[in-house]
Amino acid sequence: MKILIKGGNVIDPANNISEKLDILTDGKVIEAVGKDISSPDAKVINAERLTVIPGIVDIHVHFRDPGYEYKEDIISGSRAAARGGVTSVACMPNTKPALDCEALIQYVKNKAEKAGIINVFPVGCISKGLKGEELAEIGELKAAGAVGVSDDGRPVISSILMRRALEYANMFDIPVMSHSEDLGLVDGGSMNEGYMSTYLGLRGIPKAAESVAVTRDILIAEEVGAKIHICHVSTANSIDAVRQAKKRGVRVTCETAPHYFSLTDAACDGFNTNAKMNPPLRSAEDVEAVIAGLADGTIDAIATDHAPHHIDEKNVEFDKALNGIIGLETSLSLGITKLVNTGKLTLCELIKKMTYNPAKIIGTDRGTLSVGAPADITIFDAAEEYVVDVSKFASKSKNSPYGGMKLCGVVKKTIANGKIVYDGGGKE
Amino acid sequence: MKHLLGLKDVSADEIKNILDTAEIMKKRLDEDIKKFDELKGKSVITVFFENSTRTRLSFELASKYLGANAANITSTGSSVAKGETLIDTVKTINMMAADILVVRHSSSGAPKLVSENVDCSVVNAGDGMNEHPTQALLDMLTIREKKGTISGLKVAIIGDVKHSRVARSNIYGLKKMGAEVVLAGPATLLPSQLEELGVRVYTDVEKAIDGADVVMGLRIQLERQRAGNFPTVREYSKLFGVNEERLRLAKPDAILLHPGPVNRGVSLRAK
């Protein structure tokens, strides 16, 4: 079915477009972008006063499938994505079994295609079984459709294994997506080290546990000339390490998550396990540094690290609670509320970090509204306020620290591959 | 006050009220027949997931002296050993008409989690590295008895501050009661941004003890710390132990407190 989106404020960073335009899709790809397009046989969506962007590309999610389907599965995760305006995700391989072979990559792709909601790009393991011992069959993973490799959830402890992974993955031109963490420095900590960890009597995780490992991984990538993507940066020094490396011409990209620019470790007060994640929420200075890194281009992409957990895994003692929060259904509005409405980024810059840039990192042609590109389109009201109600989330899990928070920016429609996959109502 | 989860949530007036009551109650210990009825018909359950001598026994005996039905469970002899969660365990106890749960747990925040899942009162008997409010109340009672007041005193807390819930509760309580609190220990055993709790922090024990009215020694929490925070017990004792010579730096009438258990010869060395 053809869809004609009329009169929206179209933002397409890849093509430097930010104006009131119409978009016509032929049911699969974008057929035309321009003024006063008419198409008698198309379903018309009136996007007056709404913003129209490429479907959001979130390159860091956990869909927990196979193995932990009680937390999330590929279908529920896809619905959560669609509700958040996300049309493409890269899902991390720390499932059970871990995505370390061709058959498992195909399982994820097949299930996602059969569901037909959004595009799910699997990330394969760096090491067999995420054990950090031997390389997984990265060539075969790539051939099966993996868009990157990562042992996300745990770091590659061995520096020589990291070096080999970078050299080896580089042959296939897929990024090593590094969860950079020095577990020795973590030393059993469960939140950021600082005043709040002292106040709560919780073991602190020093910031250097992240920045030391980020620095190591960048230096190894630099030496072998390979592409590296640093996942979820959260500290000022990690960001600075990336900034300096980019100046030296290292092929490094990085992402941060909405919680690192919207919350500090103060959110852990009262032993709030929905503020427990890894890396942990940091200090106010780090939040400032994340925002500065987004503004000056050091941080390429915003990805949610959507990490669903069952309530029984969160409603426990803080140090026993599992790490992570869900994020797919709040990322756009957090970006608008905390970055755009505060004047830190323009809406166009935010959208670029949520569409075009992350698409480039995983090497897909999505994240643009170019004619001929797959019709992945998100329509939202950038001015509408709402109060986050976790019970309305499409995700199977509800572990979000944003419940009850007033945010700005409401997704009205999500179109993936030319099909409306989320319809939040509104004007037609 | 329904729960006693920590002194960070308790006001100076409430602390004073508790200490005044404790003063009266303490006299009861000298009675010939220790059977009273303030808690008659109430059930007090001590739920201890960590080892304890003093705290558990004092709760149990106090409950009994005041006429309550006292019972206790520990992690090893209970369903916890079968994998039951903390919340399920305490909900079950709550259903048996418990009035007060006294909880000790190795995880900071566990008593608060318990209080959110039961309708009876919860008393924190020590949670992880967070708080041990009744120990601090006892310390404040002792200080008040010996010194007549808490306000204006200089209290030096020495040792493994990082892993000490007793230190934290004492900091919150003593500050609220108007004392000046100074802390000292090796840098590896001082938690991050400790000064922001309104205390002075030293790595030189002698500076901390200088002119103190009260010196409090802390045990090295070997069960809570990973190896290597200091080279040897010998060096620790030499640099950070509270000994007679160092105590001479305190005021002549200074008192020495230690929450116990004492690792003799390490954190304290007798003359």
Side-chain angles (χ1 to χ4, degrees):
Chain A
M1 185 183 50
K2 287 189 162 194
I3 297 173
L4 176 60
I5 303 163
K6 293 287 288 179
N9 170 32
V10 174
I11 297 180
D12 181 16
N15 295 301
N16 278 316
I17 291 173
S18 181
E19 60 179 307
K20 205 169 160 177
L21 292 173
D22 300 342
I23 297 179
L24 179 66
T25 76
D26 74 350
K28 272 200 166 143
V29 299
I30 292 171
E31 200 174 289
V33 180
K35 286 194 196 300
D36 303 320
I37 298 175
S38 62
S39 175
D41 55 342
K43 173 188 165 73
V44 176
I45 296 174
N46 175 7
E48 289 282 341
R49 285 189 298 280
L50 298 179
T51 306
V52 182
I53 59 168
I56 295 168
V57 180
D58 187 337
I59 56 171
H60 196 136
V61 305
H62 297 269
F63 275 0
R64 309 295 192 205
D65 187 352
Y68 304 101
E69 294 88 346
Y70 65 95
K71 301 178 195 236
E72 194 83 287
D73 60 35
I74 288 165
I75 297 165
S76 66
S78 296
R79 291 208 176 103
R83 189 167 177 272
V86 177
T87 54
S88 296
V89 299
C91 63
M92 287 294 166
N94 60 339
T95 49
K96 196 165 119 190
L99 308 182
D100 67 353
C101 67
E102 184 182 12
L104 286 159
I105 297 290
Q106 278 165 356
Y107 162 82
V108 172
K109 288 188 58 167
N110 292 345
K111 190 165 175 180
E113 272 161 29
K114 212 171 145 197
I117 303 168
I118 60 151
N119 312 296
V120 178
F121 297 104
V123 174
C125 296
I126 290 174
S127 68
K128 287 192 187 102
L130 300 171
K131 289 201 177 94
E133 290 162 5
E134 310 165 82
L135 290 182
E137 293 171 325
I138 295 173
E140 191 174 272
L141 293 172
K142 155 86 181 186
V147 295
V149 288
S150 181
D151 275 2
D152 185 61
R154 55 180 82 170
V156 174
I157 295 170
S158 158
S159 304
I160 188 64
L161 185 68
M162 179 53 98
R163 179 182 153 120
R164 288 180 184 134
L166 284 160
E167 286 179 310
Y168 196 79
N170 195 40
M171 294 192 298
F172 309 103
D173 197 32
I174 56 172
V176 169
M177 304 170 84
S178 177
H179 170 117
S180 302
E181 184 182 18
D182 183 322
L183 290 180
L185 281 168
V186 172
D187 195 32
S190 58
M191 67 171 293
N192 182 51
E193 182 180 71
Y195 168 73
M196 191 47 72
S197 65
T198 294
Y199 179 71
L200 293 174
L202 290 167
R203 283 172 205 285
I205 302 172
K207 295 173 188 181
E210 177 183 311
S211 30
V212 161
V214 166
T215 305
R216 179 199 79 167
D217 294 341
I218 287 173
L219 292 177
I220 298 172
E222 182 172 16
E223 193 159 284
V224 300
K227 192 153 84 174
I228 186 164
H229 174 75
I230 309 291
C231 294
H232 42 56
V233 293
S234 71
T235 77
N237 281 341
S238 301
I239 294 160
D240 204 46
V242 175
R243 183 178 288 123
Q244 300 310 323
K246 283 186 167 182
K247 281 185 192 156
R248 297 196 302 274
V250 182
R251 296 167 70 200
V252 59
T253 54
C254 72
E255 76 196 26
T256 193
H259 37 278
Y260 302 121
F261 62 70
S262 61
L263 293 173
T264 67
D265 58 2
C268 297
D269 196 8
F271 301 96
N272 176 13
T273 56
N274 278 336
K276 184 181 176 188
M277 66 278 291
N278 189 22
L281 295 175
R282 305 287 187 182
S283 67
E285 302 87 79
D286 294 298
V287 170
E288 287 301 306
V290 168
I291 292 171
L294 284 163
D296 74 5
T298 302
I299 302 175
D300 303 271
I302 294 168
T304 58
D305 200 358
H306 179 82
H309 288 299
H310 191 269
I311 178 134
D312 286 346
E313 295 164 329
K314 281 293 193 181
N315 195 18
V316 294
E317 300 89 316
F318 191 94
D319 54 1
K320 295 192 173 73
L322 296 184
N323 282 314
I325 61 166
I326 54 171
L328 280 166
E329 294 172 71
T330 46
S331 60
L332 177 62
S333 51
L334 282 165
I336 292 169
T337 310
K338 302 290 182 182
L339 299 174
V340 178
N341 293 354
T342 53
K344 307 290 185 188
L345 294 185
T346 64
L347 186 56
C348 189
E349 286 167 334
L350 173 71
I351 299 312
K352 192 173 184 188
K353 288 176 195 296
M354 299 185 78
T355 59
Y356 180 65
N357 285 357
K360 245 182 4 184
I361 291 167
I362 58 165
T364 123
D365 57 353
R366 295 170 192 272
T368 80
L369 296 173
S370 306
V371 171
D376 293 349
I377 304 167
T378 293
I379 304 170
F380 65 96
D381 185 334
E384 186 177 332
E385 291 188 329
Y386 75 108
V387 175
V388 178
D389 178 355
V390 296
S391 71
K392 291 196 175 137
F393 282 165
S395 172
K396 276 188 192 177
S397 293
K398 312 295 172 197
N399 52 311
S400 165
Y402 298 108
M405 198 180 275
K406 196 177 188 184
L407 296 177
C408 193
V410 176
V411 174
K412 297 295 178 187
K413 283 187 175 55
T414 307
I415 297 166
N417 298 301
K419 212 175 84 183
I420 297 175
V421 293
Y422 172 74
D423 193 338
K427 303 155 207 159
E428 294 241 342
Chain B
M1 188 199 274
K2 180 167 183 183
H3 307 295
L4 178 61
L5 300 178
L7 296 187
K8 57 178 95 141
D9 329 301
V10 177
S11 71
D13 279 348
E14 285 168 318
I15 292 172
K16 186 177 174 297
N17 195 9
I18 292 170
L19 297 183
D20 291 346
T21 311
E23 218 163 63
I24 299 163
M25 290 293 167
K26 194 182 167 190
K27 297 195 180 88
R28 300 270 185 88
L29 294 173
D30 303 326
E31 299 272 339
D32 202 22
I33 296 166
K34 291 185 276 294
K35 199 73 194 170
F36 309 94
D37 56 11
E38 275 88 350
L39 290 180
K40 192 174 173 188
K42 301 289 180 193
S43 296
V44 179
I45 321 293
T46 51
V47 188
F48 275 53
F49 298 99
E50 272 192 328
N51 295 337
S52 168
T53 307
R54 272 158 284 271
T55 309
R56 203 181 95 193
L57 194 58
S58 58
F59 271 104
E60 199 170 327
L61 286 176
S63 306
K64 285 179 174 163
Y65 294 160
L66 295 176
N69 305 307
N72 96 81
I73 65 160
T74 56
S75 47
T76 41
S78 70
S79 295
V80 176
K82 301 177 192 166
E84 189 172 59
T85 65
L86 174 62
I87 289 178
D88 285 346
T89 300
V90 297
K91 276 185 173 167
T92 307
I93 301 169
N94 186 49
M95 291 306 285
M96 299 180 194
D99 295 289
I100 301 170
L101 295 187
V102 181
V103 180
R104 168 168 287 193
H105 199 285
S106 60
S107 293
S108 299
K112 179 172 184 287
L113 184 69
V114 171
S115 73
E116 289 160 357
N117 286 278
V118 297
D119 49 27
C120 57
S121 289
V122 176
V123 176
N124 180 2
D127 62 327
M129 312 186 306
N130 181 34
E131 285 225 44
H132 192 343
T134 58
Q135 176 66 51
L137 287 166
L138 174 62
D139 291 337
M140 287 191 280
L141 183 69
T142 307
I143 293 169
R144 210 171 72 163
E145 271 177 9
K146 305 288 178 196
K147 295 279 164 196
T149 178
I150 295 171
S151 184
L153 297 182
K154 178 179 174 181
V155 182
I157 303 177
I158 312 296
D160 180 0
V161 181
K162 187 172 190 170
H163 300 96
S164 176
R165 53 198 178 202
V166 173
R168 283 179 178 76
S169 284
N170 265 304
I171 292 168
Y172 303 131
L174 289 165
K175 290 279 302 169
K176 282 177 184 174
M177 299 307 283
E180 177 197 359
V181 181
V182 299
L183 300 155
T188 46
L189 293 176
L190 294 171
S192 177
Q193 298 175 38
L194 188 54
E195 297 85 352
E196 289 178 34
L197 295 177
V199 296
R200 275 189 292 143
V201 183
Y202 300 99
T203 50
D204 181 340
V205 174
E206 286 163 19
K207 274 190 188 147
I209 293 181
D210 187 41
D213 299 280
V214 179
V215 178
M216 195 180 291
L218 296 173
R219 182 174 64 91
I220 307 167
Q221 306 259 309
L222 287 170
E223 75 278 25
R224 254 176 267 288
Q225 58 174 268
R226 293 161 186 248
N229 280 309
F230 50 87
T232 56
V233 165
R234 179 174 168 271
E235 176 153 311
Y236 179 91
S237 167
K238 202 166 141 189
L239 294 175
F240 304 101
V242 177
N243 55 29
E244 205 200 349
E245 195 182 328
R246 289 194 173 124
L247 274 177
R248 273 198 219 107
L249 298 167
K251 291 216 178 111
D253 61 345
I255 58 169
L256 172 65
L257 300 180
H258 193 293
V262 178
N263 298 129
R264 288 193 178 271
V266 182
S267 56
L268 289 188
R269 186 179 296 279
K271 189 179 173 185

